[in-house]
Amino acid sequence: MSGFDNLNTDFYQSSYSVEDQNQGYSNSNSNSNTENPYNKPYGQYDYSQPMGYATPGIMQPQQPYTGQIFQPAQTYTPSPAQSMYSSGFDDEPPLLEELGINFDHIWQKTLTVLHPLKAADGSIMNETDLAGPMVFCLAFGATLLLAGKIQFGYVYGISAIGCLGMYCLLNLMSMTGVSFGCVASVLGYCLLPMILLSSFGVLLSLQGLVGIILTSAIIGWCSLSASKIFISALAMDGQQLLVAYPCALLYGVFALISVF
């Protein structure tokens, strides 16, 4: 122990003590807290000051945003078709006119067929109107059904083949040409007298002498009306008999369906 005491006495003596160290540490903490506000203990920080993200030690004031939100200008202009239909439904054409159904023209064509000697209007007959022919074909099939003959397939099949044959023949004979819809429309309207023949077949037999005479008259009526309309619509003067012959063959097939 004597050696250890001698070592303590020989150690460097200074005036520094532990109390001076604690006091210096506390003074340094107080100085750092006053200089840097972020080093304050919990509960002592002043949150009323604005925070800025800048370099440490330099506080910059926060400036409000004074810009304007971008609003693009309207460059779309509606098309004429959209502006026309946006006004309402008052300016739109009727539905029957859009579908191509004109009851006035249907009535005029029907009167032209019922009156074979009446002059036909070529401008009206040259239209593609299939509303009347469809009704007449259904009526012809219905009258055959009343007589106990289910022949709807034969009616539509013979009509399609006959229209195709007459279309080819008229395009070869005429200079202007004709559309398939016009041929189907004329042949369909001229089927109206055949409905009368099938209606007579419901009431009486057409296999006797009266039936043969009536059937021949109906065939001549249909073929004469059809040829008259084709001649007036296609300006085929002097060729009515040439057009009436194939029409008579077509309507003769319908007459055979009605008689037998």
Side-chain angles (χ1 to χ4, degrees):
M1 294 298 292
S2 61
F4 183 74
D5 294 337
N6 294 331
L7 180 63
N8 291 335
T9 55
D10 294 338
F11 192 74
Y12 179 76
Q13 300 293 326
S14 64
S15 60
Y16 182 77
S17 62
V18 177
E19 288 80 4
D20 296 336
Q21 182 180 3
N22 294 333
Q23 184 179 2
Y25 178 74
S26 62
N27 292 333
S28 63
N29 287 338
S30 62
N31 293 333
S32 62
N33 290 335
T34 55
E35 293 178 359
N36 192 356
Y38 296 100
N39 293 331
K40 291 182 178 181
Y42 177 76
Q44 299 180 5
Y45 180 74
D46 187 7
Y47 291 96
S48 63
Q49 297 180 0
M51 296 179 61
Y53 298 95
T55 56
I58 301 176
M59 300 295 293
Q60 296 181 356
Q62 184 178 6
Q63 296 180 359
Y65 177 72
T66 59
Q68 185 178 2
I69 299 175
F70 177 73
Q71 297 180 356
Q74 184 179 3
T75 59
Y76 172 74
T77 55
S79 60
Q82 294 179 352
S83 61
M84 179 179 64
Y85 288 104
S86 62
S87 60
F89 295 98
D90 297 334
D91 299 334
E92 293 186 0
L95 179 60
L96 294 178
E97 185 177 349
E98 292 183 355
L99 296 176
I101 300 175
N102 193 336
F103 288 104
D104 187 20
H105 290 181
I106 292 174
W107 178 248
Q108 292 181 11
K109 292 178 182 179
T110 304
L111 291 179
T112 303
V113 173
L114 293 176
H115 198 301
L117 301 179
K118 180 183 177 181
D121 189 359
S123 60
I124 297 178
M125 297 302 171
N126 204 15
E127 296 178 355
T128 303
D129 177 22
L130 298 178
M134 292 296 294
V135 172
F136 292 157
C137 287
L138 288 175
F140 181 59
T143 53
L144 291 176
L145 184 61
L146 292 176
K149 304 173 183 177
I150 306 176
Q151 305 291 349
F152 284 98
Y154 286 103
V155 170
Y156 286 106
I158 294 171
S159 299
I161 296 174
C163 291
L164 183 60
M166 288 298 300
Y167 169 74
C168 298
L169 181 63
L170 291 174
N171 280 321
L172 293 175
M173 295 177 63
S174 64
M175 299 296 295
T176 58
V178 65
S179 63
F180 183 81
C182 179
V183 174
S185 177
V186 172
L187 294 178
Y189 274 105
C190 294
L191 192 64
L192 180 59
M194 200 62 61
I195 299 175
L196 300 176
L197 179 64
S198 60
S199 301
F200 285 121
V202 177
L203 302 176
L204 51 92
S205 178
L206 298 176
Q207 298 182 6
L209 181 61
V210 178
I212 294 174
I213 295 174
L214 184 60
T215 303
S216 302
I218 293 297
I219 293 174
W221 188 356
C222 293
S223 60
L224 182 61
S225 299
S227 61
K228 177 190 64 176
I229 295 173
F230 283 132
I231 292 302
S232 62
L234 301 177
M236 299 170 59
D237 298 333
Q239 302 181 18
Q240 185 173 1
L241 294 177
L242 296 177
V243 178
Y245 176 70
C247 293
L249 295 178
L250 175 61
Y251 291 113
V253 178
F254 289 115
L256 291 175
I257 297 175
S258 301
V259 172
F260 300 102

